[in-house]
Amino acid sequence: MLAAFVGGLVVGSFGVLMSGLRLGVYDPYAYLALAVVVGATATGFGWALLTTFLASVSTLVAAIAGSALRGDLRFEAIGGSAAGVNLLLVQLVVFGLLAYFTRRRDLWGDLAAGVISGLLLGDVIDRATPGGVDWEIGFWPVPAIAIGSLAVVGVLALRRTMAGRARAATIACVVAGAVAAALLAL
């Protein structure tokens, strides 16, 4: 529990330092990676829920404190708006719980790993495609390729067998395509 809290503080503080660079690879992807690591290492469902929430809130607290120290006190230090902060907190906890389920050795574990990777890849496609909801002109090609590659490596790391990796990769492709199509249709 303490490691999740300290990890959230470190990731949030580093996020404040990186926010001036506008690289597009840190926010929200580093926070999502923290949630996946915390969720995947939890010993039970309740612990996954508690530690992921704790890591998420401490990340937000560190980002708000960091923005206050810079003289720009904003509650929306992460997520861009009040609704974005709430959505990001929910997303972090959901990713942490999905990461906990990747510990299963059956189809449900493959499904959880595939959904995590698919959601990340769908977001990358949306941010890298002109006309997307969250399109950023500077997101293509280096940040998009880096985050997309990490999402693919994440599927491979979360599954232990080749069959599980293949199922998770297939699920990730389906989810990424559905998310990208839905976001581009908006």
Side-chain angles (χ1 to χ4, degrees), residues 4 29 62 147 153-154:
Y29 302 112
I147 300 303
V153 168

Side-chain angles (χ1 to χ4, degrees), residues 36 38 82 95 100 136 142 166 179:
V36 168
V38 168
F95 268 56
Y100 169 72
E136 294 179 23
V142 176
V179 168

Side-chain angles (χ1 to χ4, degrees), residues 102-137:
T102 63
R103 297 174 58 157
R104 295 179 58 125
R105 297 184 187 269
D106 58 3
L107 182 62
W108 292 107
D110 301 339
L111 179 66
V115 168
I116 289 171
S117 181
L119 289 174
L120 285 174
L121 289 172
D123 184 63
V124 167
I125 292 168
D126 179 53
R127 289 180 71 182
T129 306
V133 174
D134 290 329
W135 179 58
E136 294 179 23
I137 195 166

Side-chain angles (χ1 to χ4, degrees), residues 26-117:
Y26 198 82
D27 183 11
Y29 302 112
Y31 311 129
L32 293 171
L34 175 67
V36 168
V37 168
V38 168
T41 58
T43 58
F45 180 79
W47 285 110
L49 181 63
L50 178 66
T51 56
T52 304
F53 179 74
L54 186 60
S56 303
V57 170
S58 65
T59 299
L60 179 63
V61 168
I64 292 171
S67 67
L69 290 174
R70 285 191 327 200
D72 181 27
L73 179 59
R74 296 181 309 129
F75 180 71
E76 301 89 10
I78 297 175
S81 67
V85 170
N86 292 333
L87 181 63
L88 184 62
L89 285 174
V90 168
Q91 188 179 18
L92 291 172
V93 172
V94 167
F95 268 56
L97 292 177
L98 283 172
Y100 169 72
F101 286 116
T102 63
R103 297 174 58 157
R104 295 179 58 125
R105 297 184 187 269
D106 58 3
L107 182 62
W108 292 107
D110 301 339
L111 179 66
V115 168
I116 289 171
S117 181

